[in-house]
Amino acid sequence: DAMVIQNPRYQVTQFGKPVTLSCSQTLNHNVMYWYQQKSSQAPKLLFHYYDKDFNNEADTPDNFQSRRPNTSFCFLDIRSPGLGDAAMYLCATSRNSGTAYEQYFGPGTRLTVT
Amino acid sequence: TQLLEQSPQFLSIQEGENLTVYCNSSSVFSSLQWYRQEPGEGPVLLVTVVTGGEVKKLKRLTFQFGDARKDSSLHITAAQPGDTGLYLCAGESQNRDDKIIFGKGTRLHILP
């Protein structure tokens, strides 16, 4: 089945130690998103790629970076994680059909910062 | 700024009861989606509504898009424990910048 895959599902890192989360998709969608979701809150968009074009949200900290080497893969790099960065990180994809921006989410990576 | 307000924020009811949750805005949306998210998982797309007044059914779930495309409702008939989760509505951004606007969600708990 076509899907969005995130690895790892759970990640523990130390305060200040760089960490990379990965996302892959078999849907061949041209748009990929990274969201941060904290407990009992809606997902918060960090950035997204339209093909190779990177779009950063204005309030996304510089600590967060992203790479999309090809259509299928997208990475989230947190350069110096702080305790406040502990959250669920969700990757999503969308096919820009020009009508409705339905998004398909991966299962998420839960990041713990110790 | 486009905002989506969801109500109620929390709802806990007995199995077998009916319920309705709401998603409201002062802005017009080209389309609205409903997602369900279970603990520890990503949101799963349930439905997209596009046309004002549109009604879509998914088994015991009925989704309606308001005539003016500013609001939507989700009605669940004979709720079951498997319906428990966070229900998120999301609307397509007017800027057509590939982004969707999320509501804050309704956390639903069905008691067996």
Side-chain angles (χ1 to χ4, degrees), chain B residues 6-12 19-22 87 105-107:
Chain B
Q6 289 192 245
S7 60
Q9 192 175 356
F10 300 97
L11 184 59
S12 182
L19 66 106
T20 302
V21 298
Y22 301 92
Y87 287 80
T106 291
R107 189 162 296 279

CSV table of all heavy atoms in Angstrom, one decimal, chain B residues 6-12 19-22 87 105-107:
chain,number,residue,atom,x,y,z
B,6,GLN,N,-13.2,24.8,16.9
B,6,GLN,CA,-13.9,23.5,17.1
B,6,GLN,C,-14.5,23.5,18.5
B,6,GLN,O,-14.0,23.9,19.5
B,6,GLN,CB,-12.9,22.4,16.9
B,6,GLN,CG,-12.4,22.2,15.5
B,6,GLN,CD,-11.7,20.9,15.3
B,6,GLN,OE1,-10.5,20.9,15.0
B,6,GLN,NE2,-12.4,19.8,15.5
B,7,SER,N,-15.7,22.9,18.5
B,7,SER,CA,-16.4,22.7,19.7
B,7,SER,C,-17.2,21.4,19.7
B,7,SER,O,-17.7,21.0,18.7
B,7,SER,CB,-17.4,23.9,20.0
B,7,SER,OG,-18.3,24.0,18.9
B,8,PRO,N,-17.4,20.8,20.9
B,8,PRO,CA,-16.7,21.2,22.1
B,8,PRO,C,-15.2,20.8,22.1
B,8,PRO,O,-14.8,20.1,21.2
B,8,PRO,CB,-17.5,20.3,23.2
B,8,PRO,CG,-17.8,19.1,22.4
B,8,PRO,CD,-18.2,19.6,21.0
B,9,GLN,N,-14.5,21.2,23.0
B,9,GLN,CA,-13.1,20.9,23.1
B,9,GLN,C,-12.9,19.5,23.6
B,9,GLN,O,-12.0,18.7,23.1
B,9,GLN,CB,-12.3,21.9,24.0
B,9,GLN,CG,-10.8,21.8,24.0
B,9,GLN,CD,-10.2,22.9,24.9
B,9,GLN,OE1,-10.9,23.7,25.4
B,9,GLN,NE2,-8.9,22.9,25.0
B,10,PHE,N,-13.7,19.1,24.5
B,10,PHE,CA,-13.7,17.7,25.1
B,10,PHE,C,-15.1,17.2,25.1
B,10,PHE,O,-16.1,17.9,25.4
B,10,PHE,CB,-13.1,17.7,26.5
B,10,PHE,CG,-11.7,18.2,26.6
B,10,PHE,CD1,-11.5,19.5,27.0
B,10,PHE,CD2,-10.6,17.4,26.3
B,10,PHE,CE1,-10.2,20.0,27.1
B,10,PHE,CE2,-9.3,17.8,26.4
B,10,PHE,CZ,-9.1,19.1,26.8
B,11,LEU,N,-15.3,15.9,24.9
B,11,LEU,CA,-16.6,15.3,25.0
B,11,LEU,C,-16.4,13.8,25.4
B,11,LEU,O,-15.7,13.1,24.8
B,11,LEU,CB,-17.3,15.3,23.6
B,11,LEU,CG,-18.7,14.8,23.5
B,11,LEU,CD1,-19.6,15.6,24.5
B,11,LEU,CD2,-19.2,14.9,22.1
B,12,SER,N,-17.1,13.5,26.5
B,12,SER,CA,-17.1,12.1,27.0
B,12,SER,C,-18.5,11.6,27.1
B,12,SER,O,-19.3,12.2,27.8
B,12,SER,CB,-16.4,12.1,28.3
B,12,SER,OG,-16.3,10.7,28.8
B,19,LEU,N,-23.7,12.0,18.8
B,19,LEU,CA,-23.0,13.2,19.2
B,19,LEU,C,-22.8,14.0,17.9
B,19,LEU,O,-22.7,13.5,16.8
B,19,LEU,CB,-21.7,12.9,19.9
B,19,LEU,CG,-20.7,12.2,19.0
B,19,LEU,CD1,-19.5,13.2,18.6
B,19,LEU,CD2,-20.1,11.0,19.7
B,20,THR,N,-22.6,15.3,18.1
B,20,THR,CA,-22.2,16.2,17.0
B,20,THR,C,-21.1,17.1,17.4
B,20,THR,O,-21.2,17.7,18.5
B,20,THR,CB,-23.4,17.1,16.5
B,20,THR,OG1,-24.5,16.2,16.1
B,20,THR,CG2,-23.0,17.9,15.3
B,21,VAL,N,-20.1,17.3,16.6
B,21,VAL,CA,-19.0,18.2,16.9
B,21,VAL,C,-19.0,19.2,15.8
B,21,VAL,O,-19.4,18.9,14.6
B,21,VAL,CB,-17.6,17.5,17.1
B,21,VAL,CG1,-17.7,16.6,18.3
B,21,VAL,CG2,-17.2,16.7,15.9
B,22,TYR,N,-18.5,20.4,16.1
B,22,TYR,CA,-18.6,21.5,15.1
B,22,TYR,C,-17.2,22.1,14.8
B,22,TYR,O,-16.3,22.1,15.7
B,22,TYR,CB,-19.5,22.6,15.7
B,22,TYR,CG,-20.9,22.1,16.0
B,22,TYR,CD1,-21.2,21.5,17.3
B,22,TYR,CD2,-21.9,22.1,15.0
B,22,TYR,CE1,-22.5,21.1,17.5
B,22,TYR,CE2,-23.1,21.6,15.3
B,22,TYR,CZ,-23.4,21.1,16.5
B,22,TYR,OH,-24.7,20.6,16.8
B,87,TYR,N,-10.4,14.6,17.0
B,87,TYR,CA,-11.0,14.9,15.7
B,87,TYR,C,-10.6,16.3,15.4
B,87,TYR,O,-10.9,17.3,16.1
B,87,TYR,CB,-12.5,14.8,15.7
B,87,TYR,CG,-13.0,13.3,15.8
B,87,TYR,CD1,-13.0,12.6,17.0
B,87,TYR,CD2,-13.3,12.7,14.6
B,87,TYR,CE1,-13.3,11.3,17.0
B,87,TYR,CE2,-13.7,11.3,14.7
B,87,TYR,CZ,-13.7,10.6,15.9
B,87,TYR,OH,-14.0,9.3,15.9
B,105,GLY,N,-9.1,21.0,17.6
B,105,GLY,CA,-9.5,19.6,17.8
B,105,GLY,C,-10.6,19.4,18.8
B,105,GLY,O,-10.7,20.3,19.7
B,106,THR,N,-11.3,18.3,18.7
B,106,THR,CA,-12.3,17.9,19.7
B,106,THR,C,-11.8,16.5,20.2
B,106,THR,O,-11.6,15.6,19.4
B,106,THR,CB,-13.7,17.7,19.2
B,106,THR,OG1,-14.2,19.0,18.9
B,106,THR,CG2,-14.6,17.0,20.2
B,107,ARG,N,-11.5,16.4,21.5
B,107,ARG,CA,-11.1,15.1,22.0
B,107,ARG,C,-12.3,14.4,22.5
B,107,ARG,O,-13.0,14.8,23.4
B,107,ARG,CB,-10.1,15.3,23.2
B,107,ARG,CG,-9.4,14.1,23.6
B,107,ARG,CD,-8.2,14.3,24.4
B,107,ARG,NE,-7.1,14.9,23.7
B,107,ARG,CZ,-6.3,14.3,22.8
B,107,ARG,NH1,-6.4,13.0,22.7
B,107,ARG,NH2,-5.3,14.9,22.2
